[in-house]
Amino acid sequence: MANKLIGEIGLHKRISNIFAARNIITAKDALSMTEFELMELLDVGMKEIQSAVNLISEAASPPCLSARSLLEQKVENEYLWGHLPTHLKGLDSALCGGIPFGVLTELVGPPGIGKSQFCMKLALSASFPKAYGGLDGRVIYIDVESKFSSRRVIEMGLKSFPEVFHLKGMAQEMAGRILVLRPTSLSDFTESIQELKESILKNQVKLLVIDSMTALLSGENKPGAQRQQHQLGWHISFLKSLAEFARIPIVVTNQVRTQNRDETSQYSFQAKLKDGFQEHTRTYDSHLVAALGINWAHAVTIRLVLEAKSGQRIIKVAKSPMSPPLAFPFHITSAGISLLSDDGTEMKGPGINNIHARGHSDMINFNGDCP
């Protein structure tokens, strides 16, 4: 809740604009300063500052609820919650129905592993009629690297749901529900997503895909890592707020980078114990880590890692509040991604966040289309 945007808290428009003009965007930004500091920075009277801080504090610190109260609240508002089925039985079971509404879900993995294919299959599922397990809505697909293929989407539909896609005009209708945007820069992307909020509600949009966030940031000429983290922080806050506001799943792909020598790919609580002390091991089977860093990792609710070990593709539920870390072997066919087993293997230790690409270079993408 600390990332809640001040513009959505309900402050008087004049006060909200003053906060924005001073680059105080989130509740965390405002509450990190004293009332006197805010009064001096914003050039506003103490009474107005105290009133604004009280409203921001209430929005950022909701009252404590028991587990029973939360369950009752969820049952009462069940129509606001839900999941987008991946149509991968084992994965949907682990995620209690699929990709959850209202949060960020991340797909991370090396090039060509299947991230874009996964996204296209999700787009197809979101546009599909409810009678066949879809959401019967529209999709906004932000295709940064020009990997989206309408031909591939239709092929997946024909192979996965032949009874529907062979109906006259159905393939064209499903493909027509997916709006593809191709921003040429980070500023272009930022402008586009700021205009999306109203159109998402008006046009029954059920899924937003960003493929990939890493490419947007790497394409900018930035003076340093600090600038990049500032840009990423704003986009994290906005996307989380958009997911909560529109109650839709937002799926973002993340690439991988080479692990620095002094870097560990595990969290502190996953470090090995030796003689009662944590031992930060630096020798791993893999040298790849998620490109967007630890701040981004904390922001996403679901992290799915797609990797390859000894020529076998694997999808891992590396982070989820509703599932233990699980690994599922998969392959890619004309119907898209398919699990080789619906029974996931539970993982422990640093292997949860390690990313492997061993033998991956020898693997050929199906039809040479859209990794």
Side-chain angles (χ1 to χ4, degrees):
M1 297 299 286
N3 289 322
K4 192 172 184 66
L5 299 178
I6 286 178
E8 299 176 354
I9 286 176
L11 296 178
H12 188 280
K13 188 174 182 180
R14 181 179 69 85
I15 297 295
S16 180
N17 289 340
I18 293 174
F19 273 95
R22 299 298 188 274
N23 203 32
I24 300 177
I25 307 300
T26 67
K28 181 179 180 180
D29 295 336
L31 298 177
S32 296
M33 304 175 69
T34 67
E35 292 178 348
F36 287 103
E37 288 173 334
L38 287 171
M39 184 174 68
E40 182 178 353
L41 178 63
L42 303 181
D43 194 21
V44 174
M46 177 58 75
K47 187 175 181 180
E48 287 183 296
I49 290 294
Q50 289 176 334
S51 176
V53 168
N54 287 339
L55 279 173
I56 294 170
S57 297
E58 289 177 8
S61 305
C64 295
L65 295 173
S66 67
R68 179 177 178 179
S69 297
L70 286 171
L71 179 60
E72 291 173 349
Q73 188 180 84
K74 182 175 180 180
V75 171
E76 290 175 3
N77 299 288
E78 188 66 32
Y79 69 97
L80 292 176
W81 298 81
H83 297 81
L84 169 62
T86 66
H87 297 285
L88 303 174
K89 185 178 178 181
L91 184 60
D92 283 342
S93 177
L95 297 177
C96 300
I99 307 298
F101 292 0
V103 299
L104 297 184
T105 295
E106 174 196 42
L107 304 178
V108 58
I113 193 66
K115 301 186 297 296
S116 295
Q117 300 240 19
F118 196 112
C119 289
M120 286 187 283
K121 190 68 174 284
L122 289 177
L124 182 63
S125 180
S127 64
F128 223 55
K130 289 183 179 179
Y132 295 93
L135 299 183
D136 201 18
R138 298 182 182 276
V139 176
I140 296 177
Y141 197 112
I142 300 178
D143 182 27
V144 182
E145 298 178 291
S146 299
K147 292 183 178 180
F148 180 86
S149 168
S150 56
R151 181 178 67 83
R152 180 68 173 117
V153 170
I154 292 174
E155 180 184 34
M156 289 180 183
L158 287 170
K159 296 294 184 180
S160 301
F161 313 101
E163 69 281 7
V164 178
F165 263 73
H166 280 107
L167 296 176
K168 185 177 180 179
M170 182 60 72
Q172 290 75 14
E173 181 181 345
M174 293 297 99
R177 292 184 178 187
I178 304 172
L179 173 65
V180 180
L181 304 178
R182 289 188 170 129
T184 57
S185 65
L186 183 62
S187 58
D188 187 16
F189 167 74
T190 303
E191 184 178 340
S192 297
I193 63 171
Q194 286 178 313
E195 297 173 354
L196 287 180
K197 188 169 286 189
E198 283 191 30
S199 65
I200 282 176
L201 294 180
K202 289 180 180 178
N203 297 300
Q204 292 294 304
V205 173
K206 300 295 186 180
L207 172 66
L208 171 62
V209 174
I210 303 172
D211 184 20
S212 73
M213 194 70 198
T214 324
L216 280 168
L217 288 170
S218 62
E220 294 293 298
N221 294 318
K222 301 171 288 294
Q226 188 174 2
R227 171 66 173 164
Q228 180 176 352
Q229 287 304 309
H230 174 75
Q231 292 174 326
L232 185 59
W234 185 91
H235 287 89
I236 289 172
S237 297
F238 187 89
L239 291 173
K240 285 174 68 70
S241 175
L242 181 60
E244 293 173 5
F245 169 79
R247 302 307 308 169
I248 63 170
I250 295 183
V251 177
V252 182
T253 65
N254 186 1
Q255 297 171 4
V256 296
R257 61 175 173 81
T258 304
Q259 186 177 2
N260 296 332
R261 174 178 292 182
D262 295 328
E263 218 176 3
T264 60
S265 62
Q266 60 193 40
Y267 295 104
S268 59
F269 60 81
Q270 292 170 338
K272 295 180 180 179
L273 293 177
K274 184 176 182 181
D275 299 328
F277 296 94
Q278 286 184 339
E279 178 187 13
H280 292 279
T281 310
R282 294 182 183 176
T283 303
Y284 292 102
D285 189 26
S286 169
H287 66 283
L288 300 177
V289 293
L292 293 180
I294 196 69
N295 290 335
W296 175 265
H298 286 313
V300 300
T301 301
I302 307 291
R303 166 175 275 189
L304 302 178
V305 174
L306 283 73
E307 64 176 8
K309 295 176 70 175
S310 302
Q312 174 65 66
R313 298 180 194 250
I314 297 170
I315 183 168
K316 300 190 298 190
V317 182
K319 179 184 179 184
S320 169
M322 60 199 75
S323 170
L326 296 173
F328 298 89
F330 75 92
H331 62 170
I332 299 177
T333 69
S334 58
I337 287 179
S338 300
L339 298 184
L340 297 176
S341 171
D342 291 323
D343 297 321
T345 302
E346 189 166 349
M347 301 176 295
K348 296 181 181 179
I352 297 170
N353 290 290
N354 285 356
I355 302 173
H356 303 269
R358 181 174 296 175
H360 179 55
S361 59
D362 298 328
M363 301 171 71
I364 301 174
N365 295 323
F366 188 83
N367 286 343
D369 195 358
C370 300

